[in-house]
Amino acid sequence: MHEKYGSSISHIVPLRIYLIVGAALLALTGLTVSISLIPLGGWNVVVALTIAAVKALLVAFFFMHLLYDKKIFLVIFTVAILTLAIFVILTMFDTMQRGRTNPEVARPFKEKAIIYENKEMPTQRVDSINQPPTETR
Amino acid sequence: MESLPERNYLNDPRGWKSWIFTLDHKRIGMMYLAFIMASFVLGGIFAMLIRLELLHFEGRHLMGAQTYNQVFTLHGAIMIFLFIIPSIPAALGNFILPQMVGAKDVAFPRLNLASFYIYVFGAVFAVYSMASGAADTGWTFYTPYSATTNTSVISMTLGVFILGFSSILTGLNFIVTVHKLRMPGMTWFKMPLFVWGLYATAIIQVLATPVLGITLILLILERLFGIGIFDPAMGGDPILYQHFFWFYSHPAVYIMILPGMGIISELIPVFAHRKIFGYKAIAFSSLAIAFLSFLVWGHHMFVSGQSQYAGMIFSFLTFLVAIPSGIKVFNWLATLYKGSISFAAPMLYAFSFLFLFTIGGLTGMFLGALATDVHLHDTYFVVAHFHYVMMGGTVMAFLGGLHYWWPKMWGRMYNEFWAKIAAVLVFLGFNLTFFTQFILGSKGMPRRYYNYPDQYHSLHALSTYGSWILGLGFIIMAVYLIHSFFRGKAASGNPWGGLTLEWTNNSPPPKENFLETPTLKYGPYDYDRPLAEGQGD
Amino acid sequence: MIDPLPKVKEIRKAFMEHTHEHAPHLAHHFSEMEQQRESAKLGMWIFLLTEILLFGGLFTVYAIFRAWNPDMFYNAHKHLNVFLGSINTIVLISSSVTMALAIRSTQLGNRKRTLIFLAVTLFFAAVFLVIKYFEYQHKFELGQLPGKYYTYTGIEGNNPHIFFSIYFMMTGLHGIHVIVGMGLITWIMRKTSKNIFSAEYYTPLEMTGLYWHLVDIIWIFLFPLLYLVG
């Protein structure tokens, strides 16, 4: 029957692989929660993201079959991650570097938003440009 | 004298329901074409209004200041989102791509129909926003103004968000079609270059458009809830909005130009009767442009308050993206050399493209250089630059493709004499309209300004007169195309002597594209091989 | 309707011949099941790519505002319930396991087991949403709401409403995707119970699985970033 319709059967992953990966994911979850309780300063986020990345790769490679399928799917997944990386890195390069030449624009926004100045007043709407704005900052 | 084949995709199956629920990529393409042309007319009317206003005839204004802001916002948003981004891929690409690769349809015909209806739905939102207090923010919707102005930003951005889905689905469909539905024997390097162009475009569409999606969602939430991401009053950063917006919108301009370049790669070999020079270079340059397009968005933000170091990096990367475009132009020119050139209307548009796109591209260098951009940013120089590349580039290519494939689509020829007249009028009108704007801009006339000092008046007036010539050219085009649609002379299967697969079937083609399984006897540009029997007309 | 000429009919018949004996689920513009299945998978992965970029925008917002306001983020996150967040993580991971097992059962031709695993997956998804509902309700009570509706006063740092804006947007968008996923799983369960799938054809099931695993992957990143700010 398979020969008639062409080979559309993909590799069947053994049950124990799924269960081992599942157990690993749960273990890694426990690990990441535990480590978050230890104060490591800036390293906390690095460790947490690394563990998350490992978990994500486990799901991608085993549950989503990237390990067993043709390469093209892995290419698509990688391209998505790389494009996102370009966006994050170049944007953060700007946001983190702004204060270098002019320290006063390092964080160009209000330290205290207007909702904290007067609890009753939400953001004022700016009327059309033919009228001057009524809000104060 | 030929007559239309009895059974073709237009009359088989019959009935309006067979059109509404069609899964035929050719019918979907033609339905897109109708809406896209309508959007072009609508956006064009707004353009004429802008130029009429800026004429300051007898020193008078035609409209109020806020209305002017709304008019240029609508002109930009309609032209970009309703017309130019879908234009070549959704209308011409849908019709031609499966034929060019020898397939019966795209990979996901139902998704194709869905993407058409999503487009219509998004367009409805955009038009509704026009009627309900049109946005006056500019098509770029910069915060904080867009987060606080009381015009209908939400319905416009929602419309654009919906249109984005249509774009994504079209791109997805094309990528899978090119990977999976090429006929046996058509390897990647035997594909026509239009297919390469559409493929590279589709990659950008699927990667960039989702970021526009999230940007617009964030903007809408900022307006509704004041979430504090983009609005400084709520603790947000307006420059961050620009990063988000331009991460899509810069690759978007390559979504606009790459299919156009693909069309030029088709037109020049056919009308110079010569094999394309540097096939692989052109193919790879399409991919290179797609890749590099994601690295340069900050060049829209040099004076926004972005960090100087980011500005320098983006400026450097911007210069890189000019290289593959230059490679294409040189290859096209080399193809023309010693060619046997025919000056039919499609070729006139191809020549227009070469001239106008080159100007547009070169002026981009002035804008990409950080220092000169400080002077030119937000002036008419920018307006002229992008009209040269978008209109002088993409629209000319679109018109060239439209005329080239017109006989294939309807089985009828248009009036060649009037087509040439229109092409010349469009070229002359375009240059008068927009070249003056380079001068205006470098002399300091800001863009999106309703008022200006008298010293700019004569240039503005010239630009407006140019727009009238341009408009006349388009009116003539509309007349002869509509006439051709109803009463044009019947066209043969291959009136131009093209070698790509769509010219091997009838005009108009049958529903399933090919009556027999197509076979690849020669490459798409093999004009250098000895003449085979039955080639061309 | 215009009748095709007899000669045309003959040519069409010859053209269709090699696809005449086609599998019941083969669409007419494909020539074989393998091509159709690979196309579906390719299309689905491209769609997942767009989802990664959509959520990616929100992750970018998170990264930037956390870099600008590290102390506020630390203080604000303490008001999230790590226990409930961990339970949700375990629930979603388990649902991914059961989803993978559901597909495996179909590959082995076991319809009943497929349905059981899908039902458990659906159950886990519902548990996830219920827990999220309780978390949201708690925040509503305290006034820890996004943007201008924020009224809670107990957090030190600049603009704590931004943290909750980000929290609600990211978990909200993710939650919407969970709901959509539940709809897909329900639809797949109906198809499975009608015996539409087999070891030779289970493409919609496979595609739903891919979608669901991505929903899980997104949460795998959301959880430490929102709940475990060190």
Side-chain angles (χ1 to χ4, degrees):
Chain A
M1 197 142 152
H2 304 171
E3 297 80 67
K4 197 175 187 189
Y5 299 139
S7 152
S8 55
I9 307 298
S10 62
H11 176 266
I12 300 181
V13 177
L15 179 64
R16 68 170 195 287
I17 300 270
Y18 281 147
L19 295 178
I20 291 175
V21 171
L25 287 168
L26 294 174
L28 285 170
T29 307
L31 180 65
T32 197
V33 172
S34 318
I35 293 192
S36 75
L37 299 170
I38 308 168
L40 298 168
W43 286 102
N44 271 110
V45 81
V46 175
V47 170
L49 281 178
T50 310
I51 296 177
V54 170
K55 288 162 82 178
L57 286 175
L58 283 175
V59 172
F61 279 126
F62 291 100
F63 292 165
M64 297 172 92
H65 295 154
L66 277 184
L67 196 62
Y68 305 103
D69 279 338
K70 292 188 183 170
K71 240 180 14 179
I72 179 78
F73 304 110
L74 183 57
V75 167
I76 294 174
F77 184 63
T78 311
V79 166
I81 306 289
L82 285 178
T83 310
L84 187 55
I86 290 174
F87 181 48
V88 175
I89 290 171
L90 278 176
T91 305
M92 287 196 82
F93 185 76
D94 168 46
T95 57
M96 296 295 101
Q97 293 283 342
R98 274 191 219 155
R100 284 258 239 137
T101 42
N102 306 51
E104 65 270 17
V105 300
R107 288 158 54 133
F109 47 87
K110 283 175 80 73
E111 303 263 312
K112 203 169 161 192
I114 59 176
I115 56 168
Y116 301 106
E117 288 166 9
N118 185 342
K119 275 283 164 53
E120 280 89 79
M121 280 198 312
T123 316
Q124 294 270 7
R125 286 245 166 258
V126 174
D127 285 336
S128 78
I129 59 166
N130 291 325
Q131 292 165 39
T134 51
E135 61 165 341
T136 50
R137 293 230 178 142
Chain B
M1 162 114 165
E2 317 254 354
S3 60
L4 272 57
E6 276 200 39
R7 186 182 74 82
N8 59 65
Y9 81 98
L10 290 169
N11 57 31
D12 169 29
R14 272 198 183 290
W16 61 271
K17 269 193 238 170
S18 73
W19 279 85
I20 304 279
F21 297 113
T22 184
L23 296 179
D24 182 347
H25 65 96
K26 301 181 287 301
R27 288 187 166 191
I28 293 174
M30 296 301 94
M31 294 196 290
Y32 262 117
L33 184 65
F35 274 81
I36 279 160
M37 305 301 324
S39 302
F40 184 66
V41 169
L42 187 58
I45 289 173
F46 285 119
M48 300 300 268
L49 285 173
I50 292 173
R51 289 282 11 129
L52 266 176
E53 162 58 42
L54 288 171
L55 180 60
H56 283 183
F57 186 66
E58 289 175 356
R60 287 206 300 255
H61 285 296
L62 287 175
M63 56 185 86
Q66 186 182 23
T67 309
Y68 179 74
N69 292 352
Q70 291 169 308
V71 170
F72 70 64
T73 303
L74 284 168
H75 167 69
I78 290 176
M79 281 304 203
I80 288 178
F81 295 114
L82 268 73
F83 167 63
I84 212 173
I85 283 180
S87 63
I88 299 176
L92 299 177
N94 256 322
F95 186 84
I96 289 292
L97 175 65
Q99 296 182 65
M100 264 189 170
V101 298
K104 287 193 217 168
D105 209 308
V106 290
F108 307 116
R110 285 175 298 186
L111 207 61
N112 206 8
L113 185 67
S115 113
F116 170 70
Y117 282 119
I118 293 171
Y119 167 84
V120 173
F121 188 49
V124 163
F125 258 98
V127 172
Y128 167 75
S129 84
M130 275 168 55
S132 66
D136 59 344
T137 56
W139 80 276
T140 46
F141 306 115
Y142 275 11
T143 56
Y145 186 63
S146 59
T148 51
T149 175
N150 67 357
T151 52
S152 61
V153 171
I154 290 185
S155 52
M156 179 55 118
T157 47
L158 208 48
V160 175
F161 178 77
I162 295 169
L163 287 163
F165 275 109
S166 171
S167 187
I168 289 175
L169 293 177
T170 301
L172 192 156
N173 228 330
F174 282 6
I175 293 176
V176 181
T177 306
V178 172
H179 272 271
K180 286 283 165 205
L181 260 68
R182 279 171 290 127
M183 58 172 284
M186 183 177 283
T187 59
W188 281 86
F189 294 116
K190 291 206 178 121
M191 292 191 321
L193 288 167
F194 182 47
V195 178
W196 276 101
L198 288 173
Y199 180 71
T201 305
I203 292 177
I204 303 179
Q205 279 175 299
V206 298
L207 282 173
T209 318
V211 179
L212 178 72
I214 196 71
T215 307
L216 295 175
I217 291 177
L218 287 169
L219 180 60
I220 292 173
L221 292 178
E222 187 75 69
R223 271 182 81 80
L224 288 176
F225 299 119
I227 48 176
I229 306 296
F230 296 142
D231 185 354
M234 292 300 291
D237 178 28
I239 304 175
L240 186 60
Y241 172 83
Q242 295 184 33
H243 276 296
F244 269 76
F245 180 82
W246 287 112
F247 184 78
Y248 163 75
S249 298
H250 187 79
V253 312
Y254 294 100
I255 293 176
M256 300 172 202
I257 196 66
L258 276 173
M261 289 170 158
I263 292 182
I264 301 302
S265 296
E266 295 303 320
L267 295 180
I268 291 190
V270 170
F271 291 96
H273 213 77
R274 191 127 146 58
K275 186 171 192 164
I276 191 90
F277 185 92
Y279 172 96
K280 277 193 181 170
I282 298 182
F284 284 125
S285 67
S286 295
L287 295 179
I289 290 174
F291 168 65
L292 289 170
S293 71
F294 282 96
L295 301 178
V296 302
W297 78 87
H299 67 227
H300 299 269
M301 298 163 58
F302 284 147
V303 298
S304 62
Q306 174 179 260
S307 91
Q308 312 283 38
Y309 298 100
M312 292 193 282
I313 290 181
F314 279 121
S315 178
F316 172 71
L317 291 169
T318 303
F319 278 82
L320 288 183
V321 82
I323 299 174
S325 304
I327 289 176
K328 283 187 194 270
V329 172
F330 287 126
N331 280 312
W332 290 324
L333 292 176
T335 309
L336 287 172
Y337 179 64
K338 287 201 177 166
S340 161
I341 297 177
S342 124
F343 289 93
M347 191 54 159
L348 291 182
Y349 286 110
F351 276 122
S352 289
F353 178 98
L354 287 176
F355 181 74
L356 299 173
F357 175 73
T358 303
I359 292 178
L362 289 176
T363 51
M365 310 294 270
F366 294 96
L367 296 168
L370 192 45
T372 46
D373 185 72
V374 173
H375 173 66
L376 295 171
H377 177 77
D378 260 354
T379 66
Y380 261 81
F381 194 92
V382 179
V383 177
H385 157 72
F386 65 66
H387 280 94
Y388 263 83
V389 281
M390 288 204 288
M391 189 169 188
T394 303
V395 176
M396 295 299 142
F398 174 73
L399 294 173
L402 187 66
H403 285 75
Y404 177 56
W405 283 307
W406 186 265
K408 178 59 58 180
M409 295 193 287
W410 312 115
R412 296 182 188 274
M413 275 305 279
Y414 51 83
N415 183 310
E416 180 63 35
F417 171 74
W418 284 108
K420 290 192 165 88
I421 300 278
V424 170
L425 280 176
V426 163
F427 179 80
L428 293 174
F430 176 86
N431 276 303
L432 184 56
T433 311
F434 292 107
F435 201 84
T436 47
Q437 294 184 6
F438 277 127
I439 304 171
L440 267 173
S442 57
K443 285 183 181 296
M445 171 74 204
R447 63 185 286 204
R448 293 175 170 166
Y449 267 45
Y450 169 72
N451 269 321
Y452 53 81
D454 289 331
Q455 70 207 63
Y456 295 117
H457 182 258
S458 47
L459 284 168
H460 267 297
L462 276 179
S463 181
T464 303
Y465 304 146
S467 75
W468 295 343
I469 300 174
L470 190 53
L472 178 63
F474 280 121
I475 290 174
I476 294 177
M477 192 185 304
V479 169
Y480 71 70
L481 284 181
I482 292 173
H483 176 268
S484 154
F485 185 82
F486 290 109
R487 286 183 198 282
K489 210 173 78 163
S492 71
N494 191 355
W496 310 116
L499 298 179
T500 41
L501 281 173
E502 76 272 23
W503 301 111
T504 61
N505 55 29
N506 291 328
S507 299
K511 178 175 68 173
E512 58 273 359
N513 293 342
F514 302 100
L515 294 176
E516 307 167 347
T517 317
T519 51
L520 265 188
K521 295 191 216 96
Y522 36 75
Y525 310 109
D526 281 351
Y527 289 99
D528 55 346
R529 77 192 200 300
L531 281 174
E533 278 188 60
Q535 171 223 344
D537 216 23
Chain C
M1 186 181 138
I2 295 179
D3 206 40
L5 301 163
K7 176 83 170 129
V8 170
K9 259 188 183 152
E10 210 181 281
I11 295 171
R12 283 183 70 188
K13 183 163 172 294
F15 183 41
M16 301 294 274
E17 226 158 65
H18 78 282
T19 53
H20 180 66
E21 283 182 30
H22 56 77
H25 301 287
L26 184 65
H28 275 124
H29 57 288
F30 289 112
S31 54
E32 33 174 63
M33 283 302 288
E34 175 75 358
Q35 188 191 30
Q36 179 174 296
R37 203 184 129 263
E38 292 278 301
S39 298
K41 211 162 172 183
L42 193 57
M44 191 62 195
W45 271 104
I46 294 172
F47 174 68
L48 295 184
L49 173 156
T50 68
E51 292 278 45
I52 290 174
L53 281 157
L54 186 79
F55 275 95
L58 288 178
F59 281 106
T60 310
V61 167
Y62 171 92
I64 289 171
F65 279 91
R66 178 168 169 176
W68 272 334
N69 299 301
D71 299 323
M72 182 272 280
F73 264 66
Y74 178 74
N75 293 330
H77 104 278
K78 283 194 278 192
H79 294 262
L80 295 182
N81 189 325
V82 177
F83 176 69
L84 288 182
S86 307
I87 298 290
N88 262 350
T89 309
I90 293 171
V91 161
L92 268 191
I93 287 174
S94 309
S95 75
S96 256
V97 176
T98 52
M99 174 60 91
L101 291 176
I103 296 174
R104 188 168 176 279
S105 303
T106 300
Q107 283 178 314
L108 295 170
N110 192 331
R111 186 170 67 101
K112 207 156 161 204
R113 220 180 264 169
T114 304
L115 279 170
I116 293 174
F117 279 126
L118 285 176
V120 176
T121 308
L122 202 56
F123 169 72
F124 280 137
V127 168
F128 178 89
L129 288 178
V130 165
I131 293 180
K132 272 249 85 44
Y133 167 75
F134 282 118
E135 286 185 276
Y136 278 14
Q137 193 192 41
H138 184 67
K139 290 187 180 41
F140 269 68
E141 279 168 16
L142 289 178
Q144 292 164 340
L145 293 172
K148 65 186 186 198
Y149 298 110
Y150 181 83
T151 53
Y152 188 68
T153 48
I155 296 175
E156 288 175 14
N158 299 326
N159 299 326
H161 67 286
I162 293 181
F163 177 83
F164 289 99
S165 297
I166 293 176
Y167 169 81
F168 275 105
M169 285 196 296
M170 293 182 95
T171 57
L173 189 62
H174 178 260
I176 291 173
H177 281 79
V178 171
I179 295 174
V180 168
M182 288 177 75
L184 288 173
I185 295 171
T186 309
W187 170 67
I188 288 293
M189 281 176 75
R190 287 194 66 220
K191 283 193 135 181
T192 306
S193 65
K194 287 192 208 162
N195 213 3
I196 291 181
F197 301 132
S198 65
E200 283 78 41
Y201 172 71
Y202 56 94
T203 308
L205 176 58
E206 196 180 359
M207 302 301 106
T208 303
L210 286 176
Y211 173 83
W212 190 252
H213 292 306
L214 187 75
V215 168
D216 185 25
I217 287 182
I218 290 168
W219 180 260
I220 283 174
F221 280 100
L222 277 186
F223 172 60
L225 289 177
L226 290 172
Y227 290 83
L228 304 178
V229 178

